[in-house]
């Protein structure tokens, strides 16, 4: 078909490849000849269709695992409520004088087992001590044991488990067998045997016992996480580029294997606080004059019918504390595990 001639007095502008839409555009037709697009059709092809973007635009920066987890936590009401509860408990554990002006060791036997009165809303225990003051001061010992035991077990377990999972060999087999031995020790029975020969009234024997029996669980979690992380492509690429074992373990494996350890340690913290109260209740944990919820619960148990308020308040404070840490651990687990989203 012959190409139409341009109108008289009008010349077709030359096609400029650097300025699309101006001049004629020639596209191959597959028929062996060119096909000229009209100027209006060429201009219409350059216009965006609908709401399609006309350019690349600013791209959103990809979030890391930790920033994405923090984004999820800020929108989780369970995390917010548990964090506020734990913050309040930490404040009264550090500065109990903010809400309790009395002395937890100052007692008056003439007020033994009396109920609430002005200035003493929780009443008195069998020794005539203010239950409210002892409940507030009891948070210090329980939270100190829980936090220190969790840090010790997490540090020891993650280091031993991480090294065993990364290097493998006989060290891995030895750690697994030792961990199995500790798993076979009943916690309460082991506490009765271990702490019954200790005469110290401080919190450190209880912390040491909990670390001794708590590290195998975290070691097993850390070992599995390291074994999974070291099989990833970026670790193999670092090894191929000549990175040493120390660099791979600290820069590539550990940051990507620590999330499960944090989740388990957060949940275990509440469990350790309950374990300390159980051992103190049995008389082998914390001992007087240390103020502890477990000691107060043990003293109030025989008088539960005559003076239930002695048991209600320390037991309620213990339950809320354990619940707060378990809720925090569940929220952290949901944020760090992509499969649960």
């Amino acid at each position: 078909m012959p190409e139409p001639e341009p109108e008289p007095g009008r010349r077709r502008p030359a096609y400029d490849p650097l300025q699309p839409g101006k001049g004629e555009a020639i596209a191959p037709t597959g028929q062996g000849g060119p096909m000229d697009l009209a100027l209006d059709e060429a201009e219409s092809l350059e216009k965006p269709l609908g709401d399609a973007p006309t350019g690349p635009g600013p791209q959103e920066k990809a979030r890391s695992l930790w920033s994405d987890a923090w984004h999820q936590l800020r929108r989780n009401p369970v995390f917010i409520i548990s964090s506020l509860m734990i913050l309040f408990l930490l404040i009264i554990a550090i500065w109990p004088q903010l809400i309790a002006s009395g002395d937890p060791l100052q007692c008056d036997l003439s007020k033994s087992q009396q109920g609430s009165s002005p200035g003493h809303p929780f009443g008195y225990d069998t020794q005539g001590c203010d239950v409210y003051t002892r409940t507030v001061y009891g948070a210090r010992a329980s939270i100190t044991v829980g936090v220190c035991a969790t840090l010790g077990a997490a540090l020891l377990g993650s280091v031993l488990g991480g090294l065993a999972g990364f290097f493998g060999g006989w060290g891995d087999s030895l750690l697994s067998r030792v961990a199995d031995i500790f798993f076979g020790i009943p916690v309460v029975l082991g506490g009765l045997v271990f702490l019954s020969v200790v005469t110290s009234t401080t919190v450190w024997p209880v912390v040491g016992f909990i670390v001794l029996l708590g590290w195998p669980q975290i070691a097993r979690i850390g070992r599995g996480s390291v074994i999974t992380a070291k099989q990833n492509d970026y670790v193999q690429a670092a090894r191929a580029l000549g990175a040493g074992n120390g660099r791979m373990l600290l820069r590539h494996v550990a940051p990507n294997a620590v999330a499960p350890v944090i989740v388990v340690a957060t949940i275990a913290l509440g469990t350790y606080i309950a374990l300390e109260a159980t051992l103190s209740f049995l008389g082998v944990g914390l001992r007087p004059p240390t103020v502890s919820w477990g000691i107060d619960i043990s003293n109030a148990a025989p008088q539960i019918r005559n003076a239930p308020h002695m048991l209600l308040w320390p037991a309620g404070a213990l339950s809320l504390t354990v619940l707060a840490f378990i809720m925090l651990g569940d929220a952290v687990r949901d944020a760090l595990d992509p499969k649960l989203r």
Side-chain angles (χ1 to χ4, degrees):
M1 180 177 181
E3 181 180 359
E5 295 292 334
E7 297 181 2
R10 178 181 177 184
R11 295 183 59 187
R12 179 176 298 168
Y15 172 68
D16 188 356
L18 299 179
Q19 298 181 359
K22 294 184 179 181
E24 61 180 272
I26 301 177
T29 61
Q31 302 295 328
M35 180 180 68
D36 296 335
L37 298 179
L39 294 177
D40 54 350
E41 296 178 354
E43 293 176 357
S44 64
L45 291 177
E46 297 175 4
K47 296 180 180 180
L49 299 177
D51 297 332
T54 58
Q59 296 182 355
E60 183 181 359
K61 185 179 179 180
R63 293 196 298 259
S64 63
L65 172 64
W66 302 106
S67 60
D68 187 56
W70 174 243
H71 179 73
Q72 296 290 333
L73 289 174
R74 289 183 301 175
R75 303 170 58 184
N76 191 346
V78 175
F79 172 76
I80 296 175
I81 295 174
S82 60
S83 298
L84 293 177
M85 295 173 60
I86 293 173
L87 179 62
F88 173 74
L89 291 169
L90 291 176
I91 291 175
I92 66 173
I94 299 174
W95 299 291
Q97 300 86 356
L98 294 176
I99 61 174
S101 58
D103 186 358
L105 300 179
Q106 184 178 0
C107 306
D108 186 358
L109 285 175
S110 62
K111 300 179 181 179
S112 176
Q113 300 184 15
Q114 290 185 8
S116 61
S117 60
H120 306 277
F122 294 175
Y124 300 87
D125 61 5
T126 55
Q127 301 296 325
C129 302
D130 185 17
V131 176
Y132 171 77
T133 304
R134 291 186 63 86
T135 302
V136 172
Y137 276 81
R140 173 178 294 179
S142 297
I143 293 180
T144 300
V145 170
V147 172
C148 293
T150 301
L151 292 177
L155 181 61
L156 180 62
S158 59
V159 170
L160 294 179
L163 293 176
F166 185 79
F167 293 103
W170 65 267
D172 186 16
S173 301
L174 178 62
L175 178 71
S176 299
R177 302 292 78 79
V178 172
D180 291 339
I181 294 175
F182 280 96
F183 275 123
I185 301 176
V187 177
V188 177
L189 180 59
L192 291 173
V193 174
F194 180 81
L195 296 175
S196 61
V197 298
V198 178
T199 59
S200 175
T201 59
T202 63
V203 300
W204 302 117
V206 181
V207 171
F209 168 74
I210 295 177
V211 171
L212 183 63
L213 293 187
W215 71 266
Q217 179 187 14
I218 298 181
R220 178 167 292 183
I221 298 297
R223 172 183 174 274
S225 300
V226 169
I227 291 177
T228 302
K230 75 175 185 179
Q231 296 175 355
N232 292 327
D233 294 337
Y234 55 83
V235 178
Q236 302 301 327
R239 187 186 300 273
L241 292 175
N245 291 329
R247 181 180 179 85
M248 286 190 298
L249 183 60
L250 297 178
R251 296 289 301 273
H252 303 288
V253 176
N256 296 279
V258 72
V261 175
I262 294 177
V263 173
V264 174
T266 306
I267 297 177
L269 200 156
T271 305
Y272 294 159
I273 293 177
L275 177 59
E276 177 273 321
T278 302
L279 296 175
S280 299
F281 178 84
L282 296 175
V284 296
L286 301 181
R287 301 172 185 178
T290 305
V291 181
S292 169
W293 290 330
I295 296 175
D296 292 345
I297 294 173
S298 177
N299 295 332
Q303 307 296 332
I304 188 173
R305 293 185 178 181
N306 301 326
H309 65 275
M310 295 170 46
L311 179 65
L312 175 63
W313 299 111
L318 174 63
S319 300
L320 289 177
T321 302
V322 175
L323 177 63
F325 281 104
I326 292 178
M327 290 171 57
L328 179 65
D330 290 340
V332 173
R333 179 197 59 190
D334 295 342
L336 292 178
D337 192 351
K339 297 179 182 179
L340 299 178
R341 298 177 188 171

